[in-house]
Amino acid sequence: NQLFRFIECPIAKKAELPTENQVYAIHGYYNGADMKYFSYHTDSGWCRQVYDKPTDSQWQLFACDTGNNQFFIMNRCNDHRQGKWLSYGKCDGRSGDSVGLWSNEQSRAIWQLDRADAGNLVGFRLMCYYQGQFKGYLSYQNDGRWN
């Protein structure tokens, strides 16, 4: 039951479908509990959900299929990973696949925003499609909160 809210930076607004040309912080919740902001480990590029400040989570969405609320997501944090695409792949440091940042546009995942609520909190579940296949919902592992 992982739920995400897209918050315009630096000002928080109500949960709405994100628009292009706007930078958002992605704030995660699990069963209605605050699970911090979604961002990435700078050295490895693998995503984590351990960040306290919205300025540590800077993302821009690009429409892929607006009728199905599908987007490509690009990192906008001002460091050497700025402009990299959010995607899905094998992580040698941990067992299984993970979410991280890729340079190659052809390697980016499609993220479908599925409106959801958890009690009085409204946001989106993020569904990952990679190379035409559904890979699951964005969530994290409790050990280190790697996505």
Side-chain angles (χ1 to χ4, degrees), residues 100-116:
L101 299 174
W102 273 259
S103 300
N104 188 341
E105 191 172 295
Q106 287 74 28
S107 297
R108 63 191 177 181
I110 295 172
W111 298 92
Q112 182 170 321
L113 280 57
D114 180 27
R115 190 176 292 276

Side-chain angles (χ1 to χ4, degrees), residues 45-57:
W46 294 107
C47 292
R48 298 182 78 186
Q49 202 166 315
V50 297
Y51 303 92
D52 293 317
K53 299 181 293 188
T55 54
D56 291 332
S57 175

